[in-house]
Amino acid sequence: MSVNAETASAEPVRGPRAWWVLLALIVGLVGGIVATKSGDGIREPLIQVTSIVGELWLNALKMTVIPLIVALLITGIARTADAARGGRIATVSIAYFLVIFLASAVLGAFFTPVLTGIFPLPPNAADAMQAGLASIGTSAASAAVPSAEDFVRNVVPSNVIAAASNGDVLPLVLFTLVFALAVTRIRDQHRKTLVGFFEGISDALLVVIGWVLAIAPIGVLALAFGLGATAGGGAFAALGYYILLVSGIGVIVTLASYPVAVVAGGLKFGDFSRAVIAPQSVAISTRSSLASLPAMLASARILNIREEVVDVTLPMAVALFRATGPAMNLAVLFYIAEWMGLEPNLPHAIAAVFVAVLMSLSAVSLPGEISFVSSIAPIGIALGIPLAPLALLIAVEMVPDIIRTLGNVTMDVAVTAAVDRRTASRK
C-alpha cells in the first residue's frame, strides 16, 4: 500500500483523545479507592455496575480481533509481496525490514523477562493487581498457560473454522500465512479481487475499533474503578512500572539504530546523530511516522543517501516498517504475564516471536491506541494471556507510543542508509 493510500484508509478512523482516556483511568482508580473507604454499602453496588459496563466495552473491543487477524495478515503479506516486486532496492529494503523485525521480536521475548527478573514488579503491587482483575472477570487462575506438548500438537489446525471459533490464534495465523502466500501466486485479476475484499474487511473492522475506542473513557473509567476498589494504591505503582519497562525496551531498539547506521550504513556516528534530530523532534511531538516523513527525507539527503533509495525505501518504511513494534508489543504481554504470575514456556516465546513479526508486517499507520489493540491482542491470544489488562494499559500508552514513534523514525533513516550502501556495492 502506498503512503497516500495508507493515509486515505486511515482517515476515517479516529482514536480516543489520549488525555481523556488517561484522565478516566485516574478518576476511576481514585474513585474506586475512595469507594472502598466508604463501606460495602456503596462500594459493592458501584463495583457491580462498573464491572458490567467495563466488561461490555471489553467484549466490544475483543470481538473484532479474530477476523482482523485474518484480514490484516492477508493484506499485509500481499502488500509486502507487491513491494518486493519493485526492483532490487525494494527487495533489499524488505529483507532488512524482516531481519530487524525478527531481532526486535527476539529482544522483546527474551530480554523483557530478564529485565523483570532484575527489576521485578513490587510484590504488593502484583498481588493487588491480580486481585483487581477479579473485578473485571479475569484471574490468573483462569489464564493458565497450556503445556508445551499440547501447544505443539495444536500448531497445525485440523479445522481452521474451529480454531478461529476457539480463539486458537497460532493455528489460525499459520493457516492465514499459507493462504496469503498462495494468494500472491494466483492470477493478477483474482489476486487483486481477493486482496481488495480483505482490505475492505480490515478497513471496516478498524472503523469499528475506532468507534469502540471513541467511548474508551467510559470503558476505562468503569474498569479502573473496579481495579482501584480492589487493588488500591498498588495500581498506580504497577502502571508506573509498566511505562518504565515498555519504554525502556523501546529505547534499546532506538539505540540499536545507531550501530545499524554506522556498521550497515557506513555513516559516521556524529553525522547520523545530527541528521536524525529533526525527524526525532517531529516524532516526539506528533507520535506519527507519516508526519515525520518529510523530515526523514530531508535528513536522508543531508546524509548523501542516493535519491532513488530515499524515494523507495523511506515511503516503504513508513507504510510497512515498525522496528519497535515486535519488541515493545511483546514487552507489554510479558509485563502482563509478570503481573498475573504466569510463566510462558519456550515454545510459547517462540510462537510469540513468530506472531509478533507477522502482525508487524500487517501494521498500518493508525493512531497508536488503535494499532495497540490490532497488533498486540493477537499475540496475547497466542500466548494464552487474557486481554482485559490491555483495556487498562491503553490509557497510559501515550508515553510508550512516543518512544515507539521515536525508535521507528530513527531506524527508518538508519535502514535507508544500509539499503543505500548495500545496493550501491552491487551496481
Side-chain angles (χ1 to χ4, degrees):
M1 182 183 294
S2 68
V3 177
N4 291 337
E6 186 181 4
T7 308
S9 67
E11 188 174 345
V13 185
R14 294 287 183 268
R17 294 182 181 274
W19 289 108
W20 284 109
V21 180
L22 180 60
L23 179 62
L25 175 72
I26 295 171
V27 170
L29 290 174
V30 173
I33 294 171
V34 171
T36 299
K37 296 180 181 180
S38 302
D40 289 342
I42 295 177
R43 175 180 179 270
E44 291 305 319
L46 285 175
I47 287 180
Q48 289 178 4
V49 172
T50 56
S51 66
I52 293 173
V53 173
E55 190 168 352
L56 286 172
W57 180 73
L58 180 61
N59 288 340
L61 204 58
K62 290 161 61 177
M63 71 180 179
T64 61
V65 172
I66 294 299
L68 190 61
I69 291 172
V70 175
L72 285 180
L73 270 179
I74 291 173
T75 56
I77 296 297
R79 192 165 59 237
T80 304
D82 286 343
R85 296 189 184 102
R88 175 163 175 75
I89 292 174
T91 302
V92 173
S93 300
I94 294 292
Y96 271 109
F97 296 168
L98 291 174
V99 169
I100 293 173
F101 273 149
L102 182 60
S104 177
V106 170
L107 170 69
F110 296 100
F111 192 67
T112 305
V114 172
L115 281 181
T116 55
I118 298 173
F119 307 104
L121 183 66
N124 58 335
D127 293 342
M129 292 295 273
Q130 287 185 32
L133 284 177
S135 69
I136 51 178
T138 305
S139 67
S142 66
V145 176
S147 68
E149 181 179 351
D150 290 340
F151 184 80
V152 173
R153 284 179 182 274
N154 294 322
V155 165
V156 179
S158 59
N159 185 333
V160 68
I161 304 300
S165 176
N166 295 331
D168 297 330
V169 165
L170 187 59
L172 179 64
V173 165
L174 184 62
F175 170 82
T176 305
L177 173 62
V178 173
F179 180 79
L181 291 173
V183 168
T184 65
R185 305 296 297 272
I186 64 178
R187 286 187 294 174
D188 283 350
Q189 180 182 354
H190 294 166
R191 176 175 57 82
K192 290 177 181 178
T193 300
L194 271 176
V195 173
F197 171 73
F198 283 106
E199 280 184 344
I201 290 177
S202 65
D203 286 348
L205 289 171
L206 290 170
V207 170
V208 172
I209 291 178
W211 289 342
V212 175
L213 290 179
I215 57 171
I218 298 172
V220 169
L221 176 65
L223 294 173
F225 182 90
L227 184 65
T230 50
F236 287 101
L239 291 173
Y241 177 92
Y242 163 80
I243 293 172
L244 291 175
L245 175 68
V246 177
S247 297
I249 294 293
V251 168
I252 293 172
V253 177
T254 304
L255 294 176
S257 305
Y258 292 83
V260 170
V262 173
V263 177
L267 301 176
K268 292 182 179 179
F269 180 85
D271 291 343
F272 177 74
S273 300
R274 287 189 294 271
V276 295
I277 289 175
Q280 286 175 337
S281 300
V282 178
I284 291 171
S285 61
T286 64
R287 294 193 294 150
S288 169
S289 296
L290 191 60
S292 305
L293 180 58
M296 284 192 282
L297 292 169
S299 66
R301 290 176 178 124
I302 290 172
L303 294 168
N304 294 318
I305 299 174
R306 287 175 296 141
E307 290 285 338
E308 59 265 35
V309 175
V310 172
D311 292 342
V312 172
T313 302
L314 271 180
M316 282 179 59
V318 170
L320 301 174
F321 190 42
R322 306 288 183 275
T324 60
M328 294 183 72
N329 292 346
L330 285 165
V332 171
L333 293 166
F334 278 92
Y335 163 80
I336 295 174
E338 172 79 5
W339 165 356
M340 301 186 68
L342 301 173
E343 295 184 4
N345 50 41
L346 182 59
H348 284 88
I350 294 172
V353 167
F354 173 70
V355 177
V357 169
L358 288 180
M359 294 314 300
S360 295
L361 280 174
S362 307
V364 289
S365 184
L366 292 169
E369 292 79 9
I370 293 179
S371 59
F372 183 84
V373 175
S374 64
S375 297
I376 299 179
I379 312 170
I381 297 174
L383 278 170
I385 294 176
L387 302 184
L390 289 180
L392 291 167
L393 297 179
I394 198 173
V396 293
E397 172 59 13
M398 181 173 58
V399 175
D401 192 44
I402 292 173
I403 304 299
R404 288 176 185 268
T405 311
L406 176 67
N408 293 340
V409 165
T410 308
M411 188 65 82
D412 286 353
V413 179
V415 166
T416 303
V419 172
D420 179 51
R421 187 183 188 193
R422 181 72 176 177
T423 54
S425 63
R426 295 293 183 90
K427 289 188 70 174

